[in-house]
Structure formats: structure tokens, C-alpha cells
Amino acid sequence: VQLQASGGGLVQAGGSLRLSCTASGRTLSSYAVGWFRQAPGKERDFVAAITWSGGRTYYADSVQGRFIISESNTKNTVYLQMNSLKPEDTAVYYCAAGPRLSSSSDYYYWGQGTQVTVSS
């Protein structure tokens, strides 16, 4: 599975962005898909994840209530709707696909990352 993350950009604090994670090679219907982020000088952190079957979701406390992870009807794209953005959300965001819903980095496939910058 090849993953392509897109939708990043520059936004003011309080604004919104929607990231997309699009798969090629296979559909995402057999996987859990997670979003992670890495700020400069920091470790990569879990953001949110979703299972295709059953649609279970899991969020980091830092984004709960502000971010929404969802799946497309085409079974090859997962979205991360980011609302009420804060400067501390600034990071490179990565999507990943793996066998189970998890906040750890044990996903099989990773996209290349998309930069999100939130100005104060």
C-alpha cells in the first residue's frame, strides 16, 4: 500500500484544515489508519486513528474535540478535519496504515508527510 498525505498549509490560530490520506495499490478497508505528527526537535506523536470496519476512532487527548478522523466512501481515503487549530499543532503530519487501532508507531505503511503551520 502506498499512502499519500496532502492538505497541509499555513493557517491562523483558530482556523481549520482538512488533511487527506489517499491509498494506492490496495484499498484501506482491511486496515486501521492513523495520523501522527512530528514537530521540529520533538518525537513523533499519535494524533488519531480509525478502523474501517466498524468505524471505531481513537484520539490523542490534545486533539479530542477539535479534530475528526473519517473515511471516504471510496475506501481509499481517510480524512483528518482539524478545527480550532493552535500554534502547538504545527508539525509535519503523517498517515499510516496497519493491522489494528493503535496509538503506537507499529503501523506497516507510512505516507511522506504534509506540513501544517499554525500562526498565532
Side-chain angles (χ1 to χ4, degrees), residues 48-65:
I50 188 168
T51 57
W52 210 280
S53 58
R56 287 187 297 140
T57 58
Y58 181 28
Y59 295 94
D61 290 343
S62 59
V63 306
Q64 180 76 48

Side-chain angles (χ1 to χ4, degrees), residues 69-114:
I69 189 169
S70 63
E71 57 208 26
S72 73
N73 293 331
T74 61
K75 299 184 179 180
N76 73 334
T77 301
V78 169
Y79 303 106
L80 184 68
Q81 177 67 43
M82 305 187 296
N83 302 318
S84 302
L85 283 162
K86 304 175 181 179
E88 51 263 44
D89 294 318
T90 295
V92 177
Y93 283 70
Y94 299 89
C95 62
R100 63 186 182 92
L101 194 69
S102 173
S103 63
S104 66
S105 298
D106 56 348
Y107 285 73
Y108 292 164
Y109 308 103
W110 291 82
Q112 87 291 356
T114 185

